[in-house]
Amino acid sequence: MVYQRIRDLREDHDLKQKDVAAILNCSQQVYSNYELGQRDIPTEILIRLAECYRVSVDYLLGLTDRPQRL
């Protein structure tokens, strides 16, 4: 679920993978692997994504269906 949510949020914000990768200070390939579920997303990265998109980590993890904008 988290993988689809981070992709949807990125697309909703009209960002490319390379844009988010730059924000997270990782390569585009690493970020792509996060979206594809081929790599576990570290807690620190989840927090940074939640801050970037102004949603809760619970939303990213699928624990709630409401983004709970921060």
Side-chain angles (χ1 to χ4, degrees), residues 15 17-18 25 27-28 35 37 47-48 52-53 57 59-60 62 64 66:
L15 296 170
Q17 286 185 348
K18 69 178 182 175
N25 198 27
S27 71
Q28 183 272 327
E35 280 193 3
I47 292 168
R48 289 170 67 190
C52 175
Y53 296 125
V57 172
Y59 176 74
L60 292 179
T64 182
R66 284 179 266 200

Side-chain angles (χ1 to χ4, degrees), residues 33-45:
N33 287 338
Y34 293 153
E35 280 193 3
L36 294 171
Q38 296 176 346
R39 185 178 194 139
D40 288 335
I41 305 172
T43 303
E44 175 185 317
I45 297 295

Side-chain angles (χ1 to χ4, degrees), residues 5-15 53 59 69:
R5 288 222 167 143
I6 64 171
R7 180 179 180 163
D8 290 344
L9 284 165
R10 176 180 58 78
E11 291 175 347
D12 289 347
H13 286 79
D14 296 321
L15 296 170
Y53 296 125
Y59 176 74
R69 302 262 177 214

